[in-house]
Amino acid sequence: MSIAAVLIVKNEQDHLPACLESLDWVDEIVVVDAGSSDGTREIAREFTDKVALEEDWQGFGVQRQRAEALVESDWILMVDADERVTPALRESLRAAVAQDSPAIYTLPRLSWCFGGFIRHSGWYPDRVARLYPRGRAGYNDALVHEKLENPEELPVRPLEGDLLHYTYRDLRHYLEKSAHYAQAWAEQRAARGKRGSLAAGIGHGIGCFLRMYLLKAGFLDGRQGLLLALLSAHSTFAKYADLWVRTRTSPPPEGGTRDR
């Protein structure tokens, strides 16, 4: 049985070479680029001739669907550019595909963040469903936080071996990425008629900190764990605040004038 590694990317020239090198054992690599302004597509073409450009961004779910449609192999392994398949995981993936037993497989993901691997805080093993038979499962069309759907109710099985995740380059990268997700989340909720409140943002933010740092033992991750819990609480508040601004505040006066 054949396996394809599938990636959706944009401006990932720093991460992409190491990611694709960890995938040199697959039968097919498919890369869908959302309109990079760096050398992402050129790097991708060094590893595969299946590089597509899809600049009409309609969200992560739709972009993954576009990538799935280009696959010819029997199995799909969905990978992000900031991830690496370890040798142990590679062997688990190969063994799963060799069984030719339709199922969805979850991979344990180990994230590197702010100078260390995060093994607590609710971040590990952070199992993600990434290996599935083509045509029998696929991603939904969510704008953000897209999910792999399982319409045939295939069995879900765990694999061993870590998928390394180099999640944030620095604090600025975290804040930029967090703001992007907050905006997409608020847009999606507002489109469904949901309304936000600052009180909900505060409550969810505090709950997020307590869950990560205490219940999920983030304190065992040292200073990185404390920083992540604080930042996650801020990000949680920000998405509810964004929704509140969109749904409960008035637009500026026409022409931008103000009463004096």
Side-chain angles (χ1 to χ4, degrees):
M1 304 298 291
S2 55
I3 180 172
V6 179
L7 298 88
I8 62 170
V9 298
K10 184 175 182 180
N11 293 332
E12 291 286 3
Q13 67 175 13
D14 294 334
H15 279 300
L16 196 56
C19 176
L20 294 178
E21 286 169 2
S22 76
L23 297 166
D24 60 0
W25 51 275
V26 301
D27 302 288
E28 179 185 12
I29 295 177
V30 174
V31 178
V32 174
D33 179 60
S36 295
S37 57
D38 61 5
T40 293
R41 287 195 298 281
E42 290 72 20
I43 292 170
R45 292 190 182 106
E46 295 176 8
F47 292 84
T48 177
D49 58 358
K50 283 199 166 184
V51 180
L53 176 61
E54 292 284 358
E55 296 182 278
D56 177 26
W57 180 258
Q58 297 182 33
F60 288 92
V62 170
Q63 200 77 342
R64 293 198 192 278
Q65 291 174 352
R66 290 167 172 170
E68 289 171 333
L70 300 176
V71 174
E72 298 179 36
S73 298
D74 303 299
W75 288 79
I76 292 176
L77 172 64
M78 190 66 70
V79 184
D80 291 335
D82 59 0
E83 296 172 338
R84 315 283 183 266
V85 173
T86 59
L89 178 58
R90 177 189 64 207
E91 296 310 311
S92 292
L93 291 164
R94 281 175 160 171
V97 170
Q99 291 177 9
D100 191 22
S101 176
I104 292 176
Y105 291 92
T106 65
L107 287 51
R109 187 166 60 171
L110 177 61
S111 294
W112 173 275
C113 189
F114 304 135
F117 283 114
I118 307 300
R119 298 184 179 275
H120 305 90
S121 304
W123 274 35
Y124 186 77
D126 184 29
R127 286 196 167 271
V128 287
R130 294 293 189 81
L131 179 67
Y132 53 99
R134 178 175 60 90
R136 303 191 64 175
Y139 279 85
N140 61 19
D141 60 0
L143 183 64
V144 66
H145 300 311
E146 68 285 8
K147 293 183 179 180
L148 183 65
E149 295 187 329
N150 184 9
E152 299 184 22
E153 298 185 352
L154 299 174
V156 179
R157 299 169 180 162
L159 293 181
E160 299 302 318
D162 290 332
L163 178 68
L164 301 184
H165 184 206
Y166 294 92
T167 176
Y168 302 114
R169 294 188 299 272
D170 48 34
L171 186 57
R172 177 176 178 176
H173 184 215
Y174 175 95
L175 294 172
E176 290 174 345
K177 201 169 182 179
S178 174
H180 174 75
Y181 279 124
Q183 177 184 348
W185 183 89
E187 287 177 355
Q188 191 167 267
R189 299 278 290 185
R192 295 175 182 170
K194 304 294 184 180
R195 304 184 73 186
S197 73
L198 296 182
I202 293 171
H204 283 283
I206 293 173
C208 175
F209 176 84
L210 295 175
R211 183 170 56 255
M212 285 188 67
Y213 196 66
L214 297 179
L215 295 181
K216 301 294 184 180
F219 57 88
L220 294 178
D221 288 314
R223 294 180 179 179
Q224 285 93 344
L226 176 60
L227 179 57
L228 275 177
L230 290 169
L231 289 174
S232 296
H234 167 266
S235 299
T236 300
F237 170 78
K239 67 182 185 181
Y240 282 92
D242 193 325
L243 182 59
W244 175 77
V245 170
R246 292 172 187 275
T247 60
R248 293 182 180 267
T249 62
S250 301
E254 187 175 350
T257 59
R258 296 184 301 173
D259 293 334
R260 294 181 180 273

